[in-house]
Amino acid sequence: MKPSPAWVLMAALGPAWAQTPAPVTIPGANVPLADTQVIQGVAPGSRKEEIKFLPGVRTSLTYTSNIDRAAGGNSGWIAEASPYLDAAIDTERSKAQLYASLRGFFRTSSGNSLAPELRSTGRTALLGDWLWISGTANIYSLISNPFGAVSLDPAVYNTNTIQYRQFQINPYVQGRIGTFADYNVGYNLGTSSSNGNVVLARLDQRFSGSLKSGPQFNRWGWEWTGDVQRREFDGGTVQNRTSASGSLFMLPQPDLRVGASFNYDRIDNFFINGRNSGTGLGAFADWTPSNRTSVSASVKRLYYGTTGRLSATHRFGLFTGAVSWDKSVLTSSDGSILSVNPGSLFSAGGFSSSLNPLFNQLVSQNLLQTYGSAIGGGLLSDFLVLSNNLTVSLAYVSPRNSIVLTGTRSRRETDASRSVATFGSQLGGISSPSLVTPVNLSAYNTTNLGLDWSHTLDSKSTLGLKLSRLILDSVAVTGNGNSAINLVQSSYRTQLTTDTAASFGLRHTRQRGSGLSISYDETAVFGTLDMRF
């Protein structure tokens, strides 16, 4: 019997604790696996296996009118030479992606620098189908100060840049108890650090488990999840979090799942009206009427307020659109980083990208990234982050023209102290108590509107246009600031050989700031050469 779309959706979602955070994309790292050297399994009827191993060197030369990115800054040249490795594997028992590069920059002023970049995520089966391991390892550059000069690629400039490093490993056991239930139990070990003055967890440990109703429960089901987390910071600060949830759901029709949940959450040192724990009810629904449409939503209320999420995607003709909203309290090593990935929206609700052929076309045209891109003011303290994000994306694909429109609105707050952590504003209408000797208190409002357009000239050459407007409202202990960054970039790209591509273009950036934020203008001419071996 063919499974209903709703059951396929549930299997694709999996336990939330077993998922690893998406790393951030850097230029040149978004080549789709299908467009590279592929080794296919030869067994009749077997699943296609894909392996990619592409070493290369990316070089670029940029002339900029403002290498200092300051009011009245000096002009200069920036040269880049960056060896890299782009690799991936996709088999029945292993799935992984890796992009590693050592980016070297040579500047006529502002000094030279080396910026290691690493993007990796994967999972593999260790023993049978029951013992698995997954993990991520990431090193990348972010904007250090949201009040300073903001750029799309912070590593290129040797000012206002911070490096972020994050590693985690997650062994887990999964299996089935007859037809009664499916289980999943795991341990996650992570660490994060940076070369800036930011409060990050040097050790993050998490034990998680889930038990979900099996096939014998036909038109209804149940699920239990539990999570215990311990995070350690420099100076001896420890934060513990314990959460649990029990849910019941039913399938009134094969493509619709609706349910209710009872939830518990306890966060040490996060007090609302004198409480740091509580229980509450929630509701959720998943609707998958076809492989073109998917909607997933949930809401729950706990002692710190109401949280929820909504994701929806729909493909019609040559268009594909998606919306994603979430409001949550995060205690994760990358929780304070705003990462936007329009491509992931098109798999909302658990869809595989293979079910959306427009997605793969957009990736091959460099209009979508296989990973998310960090935008905004970089790192906050990750002691505890209130996150409220909304992203909407619409894409159009035709043989000669493709366009992606994306809009994001985000508010993130964080507060950390050596003794008490609270929020300085309201969550769900509940005011937090007074701040106590904060080490770091920040609130970032980020609004980003972007357009990426690609026009195909022939089988080897394309024209590109990028428009972006980024607005940052930042609040910190030292004061407030507002920045509006506008960017216009045009480019021409051509495939010289099967292994070599070249591009050149013109870019203009204009930043206007008030309060503590700065203002600057920059016009740059650039050329790149990407050679693979």
Side-chain angles (χ1 to χ4, degrees):
M1 182 179 68
K2 182 179 180 181
S4 69
W7 285 107
V8 174
L9 172 66
M10 292 161 56
L13 286 172
W17 60 266
Q19 299 175 2
T20 55
V24 178
T25 296
I26 63 175
N30 60 333
V31 179
L33 186 60
D35 287 356
T36 61
Q37 302 169 6
V38 173
I39 301 175
Q40 299 185 4
V42 294
S46 65
R47 180 182 182 273
K48 183 177 72 173
E49 297 185 352
E50 299 178 344
I51 299 176
K52 175 175 70 172
F53 185 84
L54 294 173
V57 175
R58 183 176 185 267
T59 59
S60 68
L61 183 64
T62 302
Y63 175 78
T64 169
S65 65
N66 192 345
I67 195 171
D68 305 311
R69 295 186 304 164
N74 300 313
S75 61
W77 293 86
I78 303 175
E80 176 185 0
S82 303
Y84 67 83
L85 174 62
D86 191 6
I89 184 172
D90 187 0
T91 69
E92 289 185 352
R93 297 179 60 81
S94 299
K95 186 179 181 67
Q97 288 184 310
L98 166 70
Y99 185 90
S101 176
L102 182 61
R103 306 184 70 187
F105 296 97
F106 310 89
R107 306 175 182 89
T108 55
S109 64
S110 301
N112 304 324
S113 64
L114 288 174
E117 301 278 0
L118 177 65
R119 308 288 185 273
S120 62
T121 182
R123 65 180 178 89
T124 188
L126 296 179
L127 290 175
D129 292 328
W130 64 274
L131 179 59
W132 293 71
I133 189 169
S134 65
T136 62
N138 300 299
I139 305 173
Y140 48 86
S141 299
L142 295 170
I143 296 299
S144 174
N145 182 358
F147 304 131
V150 177
S151 62
L152 290 180
D153 191 358
V156 173
Y157 301 90
N158 203 24
T159 57
N160 197 28
T161 300
I162 189 175
Q163 270 219 333
Y164 173 71
R165 299 172 290 269
Q166 177 263 335
F167 304 92
Q168 69 175 26
I169 188 169
N170 172 216
Y172 59 97
V173 173
Q174 64 180 16
R176 172 168 290 179
I177 306 173
T179 61
F180 174 72
D182 298 329
Y183 64 87
N184 203 319
V185 180
Y187 168 71
N188 189 92
L189 176 66
T191 183
S192 58
S193 62
S194 75
N195 59 352
N197 185 24
V198 184
V199 179
L200 299 175
R202 61 177 177 84
L203 184 63
D204 186 348
Q205 299 183 80
R206 179 175 296 186
F207 293 91
S208 305
S210 69
L211 191 66
K212 183 166 57 176
S213 58
Q216 76 178 52
F217 300 90
N218 187 12
R219 307 292 291 187
W220 68 280
W222 51 269
E223 183 175 9
W224 172 88
T225 61
D227 187 287
V228 177
Q229 182 186 30
R230 176 183 173 88
R231 306 174 74 221
E232 300 178 11
F233 298 80
D234 289 336
T237 301
V238 175
Q239 182 195 54
N240 297 314
R241 183 174 187 176
T242 303
S243 61
S245 176
S247 61
L248 291 173
F249 59 86
M250 62 177 296
L251 280 75
Q253 56 190 50
D255 57 8
L256 176 63
R257 182 182 73 147
V258 295
S261 63
F262 183 77
N263 310 282
Y264 168 81
D265 202 357
R266 174 189 172 91
I267 306 176
D268 286 0
N269 302 321
F270 180 38
F271 291 90
I272 300 293
N273 293 338
R275 301 168 57 201
N276 70 338
S277 66
T279 59
L281 299 177
F284 57 91
D286 302 302
W287 182 49
T288 314
S290 70
N291 61 6
R292 291 174 173 266
T293 304
S294 176
V295 180
S296 180
S298 68
V299 64
K300 61 183 177 181
R301 184 170 180 84
L302 287 161
Y303 79 96
Y304 44 70
T306 301
T307 60
R309 63 173 179 84
L310 168 67
S311 61
T313 182
H314 180 63
R315 176 165 56 90
F316 49 101
L318 300 178
F319 291 88
T320 181
V323 59
S324 175
W325 169 80
D326 70 88
K327 181 180 180 182
S328 55
V329 174
L330 304 175
T331 53
S332 57
S333 60
D334 64 343
S336 67
I337 301 174
L338 176 59
S339 180
V340 176
N341 186 355
S344 70
L345 301 185
F346 300 142
S347 60
F351 273 161
S352 167
S353 60
S354 62
L355 296 177
N356 191 342
L358 301 184
F359 170 83
N360 293 321
Q361 294 182 51
L362 292 167
V363 171
S364 66
Q365 296 170 3
N366 295 319
L367 293 177
L368 285 183
Q369 309 288 353
T370 53
Y371 294 142
S373 297
I375 65 172
L379 285 171
L380 297 79
S381 158
D382 73 353
F383 195 90
L384 191 145
V385 177
L386 164 62
S387 176
N388 194 335
N389 303 321
L390 172 66
T391 301
V392 180
S393 189
L394 177 66
Y396 168 80
V397 179
S398 74
R400 295 185 67 87
N401 293 285
S402 298
I403 300 175
V404 176
L405 296 169
T406 302
T408 299
R409 174 65 176 173
S410 170
R411 178 172 178 83
R412 295 169 296 150
E413 287 187 70
T414 183
D415 171 32
S417 75
R418 293 301 179 186
S419 57
V420 177
T422 61
F423 278 113
S425 67
Q426 294 185 349
L427 171 63
I430 302 176
S431 298
S432 61
S434 301
L435 302 176
V436 179
T437 59
V439 172
N440 184 15
L441 168 63
S442 295
Y444 292 167
N445 292 324
T446 303
T447 303
N448 184 57
L449 300 174
L451 178 148
D452 289 276
W453 169 69
S454 175
H455 174 71
T456 301
L457 299 174
D458 52 43
S459 60
K460 295 183 177 181
S461 304
T462 58
L463 292 176
L465 176 67
K466 183 179 185 65
L467 304 176
S468 175
R469 179 172 175 81
L470 176 64
I471 301 175
L472 301 176
D473 290 310
S474 306
V475 180
V477 175
T478 52
N480 304 338
N482 175 275
S483 294
I485 304 97
N486 298 312
L487 178 140
V488 179
Q489 176 176 296
S490 60
S491 61
Y492 169 80
R493 184 181 186 275
T494 184
Q495 196 74 29
L496 300 177
T497 68
T498 55
D499 299 319
T500 304
S503 64
F504 62 87
L506 176 67
R507 179 180 66 245
H508 179 72
T509 306
R510 176 186 176 92
Q511 177 172 332
R512 291 295 177 265
S514 61
L516 297 179
S517 300
I518 73 165
S519 300
Y520 79 94
D521 289 272
E522 180 201 24
T523 300
V525 180
F526 61 89
T528 64
L529 185 66
D530 194 323
M531 298 176 291
R532 290 181 167 170
F533 309 126

